[in-house]
Amino acid sequence: MGASGNRPSTPSEIEIEIGAEMAEQLRGTRVAILAADGVERVELEQPRHALQQAGAQTDLLSLHDGEIQARNHDLEDAGTVPVDGLVANASVEDYDALLLPGGTVNPDKLRLDKSAVTFVRDFVTSGKPVAAICHGPWTLVEADVVSGRTLTSYQSIRTDLRNAGANVVDQEVATDGNLLTSRSPDDLPAFCQAIIDTLARSSQAASSVTGSQ
């Protein structure tokens, strides 16, 4: 797992804290985080921190190796974040869930990359959980997986979602099957909790199936 780059997060910076009773409940779960230059730092770090607190392994996948440039409110430099692997080399089978943080530039770069779009499309069609926040659902549009699905997003891209056939709602978390979406950083507490709860249910269901065999 990568560290947090030039400006490492500390528990005091993170509003999402998982209680002791929830720690380790996602041990053995591996989550892919797909992001490119321009990612909104808080939308990457807070969910990653919550997942790691719950025992999950997270891998930051991107379009190039090294580090990606992060932003605060799109315009402010927020340092860099180390990349764990290339999306071009990643396999859906290696992960239990996918996280798509926002930032205006980040999904715009992902939408232009065939490997990234294919990875997202394959993840959604696999039935595994996919969580996207703010501008993150833009990549879902490019992957052609939103038609007939109920989603939310940052207000400025909702027309794109509707034009792609999505049912757009205005609420902090929208869940439709394996798709989980939120509107903005203000929704991060509910977004992170929903991700943890969804993965915990998936993990329990998998354990039940294994135990019954």
Side-chain angles (χ1 to χ4, degrees), residues 74-151:
D74 273 332
L75 301 177
E76 301 170 9
D77 182 10
T80 60
V81 187
V83 171
D84 297 309
L86 300 179
V87 66
N89 299 333
S91 172
V92 172
E93 287 70 28
D94 292 334
Y95 295 96
D96 301 293
L98 172 64
L99 170 65
L100 297 171
T104 305
V105 175
N106 161 45
D108 207 40
K109 289 182 178 293
L110 294 178
R111 295 169 69 195
L112 296 176
D113 186 88
K114 182 178 180 180
S115 295
V117 173
T118 298
F119 186 73
V120 171
R121 181 185 302 115
D122 291 347
F123 225 108
V124 175
T125 58
S126 76
K128 296 178 181 181
V130 176
I133 187 168
C134 203
H135 288 79
W138 239 350
T139 312
L140 298 176
V141 171
E142 193 68 30
D144 194 23
V145 293
V146 304
S147 181
R149 308 296 293 269
T150 297
L151 295 88

Side-chain angles (χ1 to χ4, degrees), residues 26 175 194 196-206:
L26 297 184
T175 302
I196 299 299
D197 291 346
T198 297
L199 288 177
R201 287 193 298 269
S202 297
S203 179
Q204 291 169 0

Side-chain angles (χ1 to χ4, degrees), residues 32-62:
I33 303 173
L34 178 58
D37 292 316
V39 65
E40 188 72 16
R41 186 157 195 141
V42 68
E43 294 172 7
L44 188 160
E45 287 194 341
Q46 285 198 14
R48 180 171 64 177
H49 181 79
L51 286 162
Q52 291 175 348
Q53 277 195 307
Q57 174 184 343
T58 63
D59 292 337
L60 175 58
L61 305 178
S62 194

Side-chain angles (χ1 to χ4, degrees), residues 15-16 46 133 171-175 180-198:
E15 296 179 3
I16 313 303
Q46 285 198 14
I133 187 168
Q171 58 195 53
E172 60 182 7
V173 179
T175 302
L180 187 158
T181 51
S182 283
R183 301 168 298 188
S184 72
D186 291 341
D187 297 329
L188 276 166
F191 181 68
C192 292
Q193 189 62 58
I195 295 171
I196 299 299
D197 291 346
T198 297

Side-chain angles (χ1 to χ4, degrees), residues 141 146 155 157-170:
V141 171
V146 304
Q155 187 173 359
I157 70 167
R158 292 178 189 171
T159 297
D160 292 342
L161 291 175
R162 292 189 185 97
N163 287 343
N167 173 39
V168 179
V169 295
D170 184 13

